[in-house]
Amino acid sequence: MPAIALAEPIELRIVPPDVPRHDLCVPQESVAEVQARWASGTWPNGRTHAQIRRDITVLRKEDAAGNLVLIQSIIEGLAVRGSKFAGKRALLAEIEALRAAGALQEIKSRQLVQKLAAQSTGTSAQVTRALARFYQDGLGVAPDPKLADHYLMQAANLGHPDAVLTLAERRVQGSAPIGWKEPVRESVQNAFDALTTPLNAGVCERSARIARAYFSGTLVQKDAELGQVWLRFAADLGDAQAAWKIYEEQRLAEDVEPDTTLRLTYLAQAADAGLPFAQIALGRVYELGALVPQDLPRALEMYQKAAGQGHRAGLIRLALFLETHRAEFRELEGTRLEALVRLAEMETPPAWVSTRLANHKMEAGYAPSTVAGAKALYEEAAALGDREAMTRLAELLLMNPSNAAAFFRAVDLLSEAVALHGSTGAAKKLYDAYMCKAPDSPRLDEAMYWKAQYAAADPALQPVDAGNVAGVAALQSQALYRRNSALESWVSHLKEQHGAPALLAFWDGYTENYGQLLKAQSAYDQFESTDVQWRQDAKAVLAEVNAREGLLTMTALDRALRRGEWDLEALLVKEVNLGSGAALRLLAAARGKRIEETIAPHLERLVKFGDFDALNLAAPLAENPERMLDRAIGIMPCDFKSAMTLHRTAARIGNTARVAAPDHRRSSA
């Protein structure tokens, strides 16, 4: 007859013993110290068998797979030295190590569980409880629930607390073995008492079993607050895992009263004990300023500690933190790169790691060897679906406009970025590619298809409701600052609304003169100039500086310039050396010199890092102007201004094929 289920979990409230806070459960040695003791292969003299068994446990919990051979040699050494650890205890320790290392097939092929069962005499509660678990879970043997129940009851009769609690819980649920009829309340109370005695280093792990019972509510009535009390008992005796669980319960549980001080106290304890996931969590707290004032140096310290242990998530957080806060920690760029390299050496690193390493390579410029190395890394990341890698690899491929294979590989990558990630930026690049970067461009059908795709997601390209005054004003503002899509939409809107001829003439001229730059009166007045192009160039430079220097707003940067806190010419020189064509124009005007004179001392940097504008300005003076022009084509915005800029550059360097009309290019291709 099956057991009858109880109506509900029992009501039983047991609190931990009153023990002064001390470091009972703090490991006496670090993992590194344990590993160092055994690294020489010499058996340590004077170490008791109990201490050596603790070493085995430490090595297994730290890295069972990496320490497996060492663990097996220690087990064998203990066994041959005639200790009580020989026989079934040694065999159980090896099975546990193999299980933790994931070597389940070895357990099965060597029939280790069957050998353990053959050696068991029913006198070891630990061995019989383990056999119950192995036969229940089918670890190394075929699952056998009846035999598992036999060993489980045997372990309970030998006083194993976990076996007693498991059977009591099954009795509550009505699934206990027929032979188990012990009263539930007495069983649970006795098991809880047994778990807290003796008061030694193992009491913290045993207390966690009681905490779990109160959190789950399947054996005793659920009481999350009392579960926290048991965790604090263990944490106050130095158990770092219990401290971490308190933080997790405080963060996630809905039935625990949140206590910020408690949460931070035990998170700090877990982090100080060296738990890498706790160090990462505490680092995030300091980085975000969520529960405490923001403290970036303290956050960095936590991430470095986690990464220093080789922890994957720690290395990830360190790399991303130093990328996000690059302006504050410029001197640690090498640390960021080291974290990326270590991640890349791990099994199945995140795809973005290769992308970041490729980006770093490209910061050295566009030398053929540099581009080749970056391409290989982008290929790795793109194969794993990284959107940024797909886009950047496509941009490099499009820098070879006469290579049809490279072009079609690039558009395949961009199409995949759109399909996998819904990237409107990739859709815009596809329009540009078909419109002006294909060997036989313009390919109007494909270009118009992709224009429709990105236009659907770009408010500036949506039809303008003439009655929407705010929308019309916003579009006009964007057009004045020459945002390409906004300028196109604004002119279309005026024509649809039958704008005054003088107004249409102004905007037509404004569009045609898109690339012209008027000289400013002085270096300082450039930033107060009423000339729109000057202000656009200045704004572009300031935006770059703002992003790189970590200033909060453009207003703050403008204020710094006006107060003389920044040397304007030095700022422009710095931006020119980073490849800014807008800064180059501003610098030439500030000095009252021709562009060609201004370029000369910066030519090498412009060749390496130049943006579209800078490449076109520097190409006639470069050693290989054709390569500069190819790069400019690869990154050009596909608009009338850019096309005319390339046309003029091609004429200046004597490239008659690119000066020719598009129809001539197509026929010659």
Side-chain angles (χ1 to χ4, degrees):
M1 178 181 293
I4 300 174
L6 300 180
E8 60 183 13
I10 64 170
E11 182 180 353
L12 181 65
R13 183 178 175 83
I14 296 180
V15 298
D18 186 10
V19 178
R21 182 169 185 161
H22 64 289
D23 293 340
L24 178 65
C25 301
V26 174
Q28 300 302 307
E29 296 177 305
S30 67
V31 174
E33 288 173 321
V34 174
Q35 289 173 325
R37 177 183 302 116
W38 295 96
S40 66
T42 304
W43 195 264
N45 294 322
R47 195 150 182 83
T48 67
H49 291 162
Q51 290 172 329
I52 293 174
R53 291 198 298 273
R54 282 200 295 272
D55 286 353
I56 293 172
T57 301
V58 168
L59 293 170
R60 187 188 74 232
K61 288 184 176 180
E62 171 62 20
D63 181 5
N67 293 321
L68 183 57
V69 174
L70 176 58
I71 291 171
Q72 288 175 318
S73 70
I74 297 173
I75 291 171
E76 183 181 351
L78 269 176
V80 299
R81 281 166 173 76
S83 74
K84 294 180 180 179
F85 193 69
K88 59 192 175 188
R89 290 184 176 85
L91 188 53
L92 176 58
E94 185 174 12
I95 293 172
E96 294 288 9
L98 289 166
R99 180 191 60 79
L104 305 184
Q105 186 57 40
E106 183 175 347
I107 297 174
K108 183 176 181 179
S109 64
R110 292 173 56 191
Q111 298 187 335
L112 297 182
V113 174
Q114 294 91 326
K115 292 177 181 177
L116 181 64
Q119 293 183 21
S120 175
T121 58
T123 58
S124 169
Q126 182 184 14
V127 171
T128 51
R129 179 65 184 98
L131 284 168
R133 188 169 64 252
F134 298 156
Y135 279 103
Q136 184 66 43
D137 298 340
L139 180 72
V141 291
D144 189 335
K146 288 186 178 181
L147 188 55
D149 284 347
H150 165 75
Y151 284 121
L152 184 64
M153 287 190 290
Q154 193 174 72
N157 287 326
L158 290 169
H160 196 286
D162 183 72
V164 172
L165 292 175
T166 301
L167 287 166
E169 186 172 352
R170 288 178 59 180
R171 183 120 195 261
V172 169
Q173 298 168 349
S175 62
I178 295 175
W180 186 260
K181 299 180 181 179
E182 297 297 318
V184 173
R185 177 180 293 277
E186 289 78 0
S187 297
V188 174
Q189 189 154 5
N190 291 336
F192 280 8
D193 288 343
L195 287 169
T196 56
T197 54
L199 199 63
N200 56 19
V203 71
C204 293
E205 191 171 343
R206 298 194 301 269
S207 298
R209 177 67 174 86
I210 302 175
R212 289 197 301 272
Y214 282 112
F215 282 126
S216 69
T218 56
L219 173 59
V220 293
Q221 288 185 1
K222 188 172 184 178
D223 189 338
E225 293 292 343
L226 187 52
Q228 286 258 328
V229 170
W230 277 98
L231 287 179
R232 289 202 297 274
F233 168 73
D236 289 346
L237 292 177
D239 186 355
Q241 291 289 346
W244 169 252
K245 288 173 185 174
I246 292 171
Y247 167 76
E248 284 284 88
E249 288 292 333
Q250 283 282 325
R251 186 173 68 91
L252 300 173
E254 298 178 357
D255 46 4
V256 174
E257 188 68 26
D259 184 330
T260 300
T261 301
L262 185 76
R263 181 173 166 183
L264 288 175
T265 297
Y266 286 105
L267 176 59
Q269 177 184 332
D272 289 343
L275 298 185
F277 37 86
Q279 291 165 339
I280 294 167
L282 187 57
R284 290 291 285 170
V285 168
Y286 283 116
E287 181 182 0
L288 299 176
L291 302 174
V292 297
Q294 187 183 55
D295 188 338
L296 295 182
R298 180 72 169 141
L300 173 63
E301 179 188 353
M302 289 294 103
Y303 296 146
Q304 286 178 314
K305 285 183 176 180
Q309 299 183 55
H311 193 271
R312 179 187 176 95
L315 289 164
I316 288 173
R317 281 308 321 157
L318 178 61
L320 293 179
F321 174 85
L322 290 174
E323 177 180 306
T324 302
H325 302 284
R326 208 169 183 177
E328 294 92 336
F329 300 100
R330 293 183 184 280
E331 72 281 4
L332 295 180
E333 178 64 5
T335 301
R336 183 182 76 90
L337 292 173
E338 181 185 354
L340 290 173
V341 170
R342 291 177 67 186
L343 281 168
E345 292 171 348
M346 289 183 170
E347 188 175 353
T348 62
W352 56 264
V353 170
S354 293
T355 303
R356 299 306 201 278
L357 289 170
N359 292 347
H360 174 69
K361 280 186 175 293
M362 292 306 301
E363 289 176 3
Y366 284 79
S369 59
T370 300
V371 172
K375 276 185 178 179
L377 289 166
Y378 285 138
E379 287 283 7
E380 290 178 8
L384 296 172
D386 186 69
R387 180 179 65 180
E388 183 183 355
M390 294 175 183
T391 303
R392 289 185 179 271
L393 179 57
E395 289 173 349
L396 291 179
L397 292 169
L398 289 172
M399 289 180 184
N400 191 358
S402 62
N403 187 324
F407 170 79
F408 286 111
R409 168 78 171 126
V411 297
D412 284 347
L413 286 164
L414 293 171
S415 299
E416 191 174 359
V418 174
L420 292 178
H421 304 287
S423 172
T424 55
K428 174 65 169 67
K429 291 181 185 298
L430 279 163
Y431 164 76
D432 289 344
Y434 283 113
M435 194 69 180
C436 59
K437 299 177 185 179
D440 56 348
S441 64
R443 300 177 62 145
L444 293 177
D445 289 343
E446 293 98 329
M448 291 304 102
Y449 170 81
W450 287 110
K451 181 177 181 180
Q453 298 302 307
Y454 80 77
D458 188 342
L461 294 177
Q462 303 305 309
V464 182
D465 180 0
N468 182 354
V469 177
V472 171
L475 184 63
Q476 184 182 30
S477 296
Q478 292 185 50
L480 278 168
Y481 279 99
R482 291 186 172 94
R483 183 185 172 197
N484 297 342
S485 55
L487 187 57
E488 180 181 346
S489 292
W490 176 245
V491 173
S492 297
H493 168 71
L494 290 176
K495 291 179 179 178
E496 289 172 3
Q497 298 299 317
H498 305 291
L503 184 61
L504 288 171
F506 166 79
W507 281 101
D508 283 340
Y510 190 76
T511 304
E512 289 174 3
N513 295 323
Y514 189 56
Q516 294 183 0
L517 177 68
L518 301 177
K519 305 286 185 180
Q521 297 300 311
S522 69
Y524 183 77
D525 289 343
Q526 289 157 11
F527 287 88
E528 295 183 330
S529 170
T530 56
D531 178 77
V532 179
Q533 180 66 57
W534 250 119
R535 292 206 50 87
Q536 181 180 349
D537 282 341
K539 183 179 178 182
V541 172
L542 292 178
E544 286 294 323
V545 175
N546 184 40
R548 195 157 32 249
E549 302 299 332
L551 295 171
L552 295 178
T553 62
M554 290 295 294
T555 303
L557 181 57
D558 185 62
R559 189 182 304 118
L561 286 167
R562 294 176 189 280
R563 289 176 179 174
E565 297 170 11
W566 284 49
D567 183 320
L568 178 59
E569 184 166 329
L571 181 152
L572 292 174
V573 168
K574 180 178 179 180
E575 294 304 305
V576 169
N577 284 331
L578 291 172
S580 170
L584 181 62
R585 293 178 184 275
L586 289 170
L587 183 62
R591 291 173 171 174
K593 293 184 177 181
R594 296 169 56 244
I595 287 285
E596 291 76 6
E597 295 177 273
T598 308
I599 286 175
H602 307 285
L603 181 60
E604 182 179 353
R605 300 283 298 179
L606 293 171
V607 169
K608 284 186 175 182
F609 306 112
D611 59 15
F612 175 78
D613 196 17
L615 291 172
N616 279 281
L617 292 170
L621 302 179
E623 182 178 344
N624 191 334
E626 291 290 342
R627 183 181 296 165
M628 299 278 282
L629 195 60
D630 283 348
R631 281 175 48 203
I633 292 172
I635 61 175
M636 71 176 289
C638 200
D639 53 37
F640 178 74
K641 171 198 172 185
S642 301
M644 291 306 298
T645 298
L646 281 173
H647 182 86
R648 288 192 293 269
T649 302
R652 290 169 66 199
I653 67 174
N655 186 322
T656 56
R658 285 173 177 168
V659 173
D663 284 345
H664 177 75
R665 279 188 60 202
R666 187 182 298 110
S667 62
S668 63

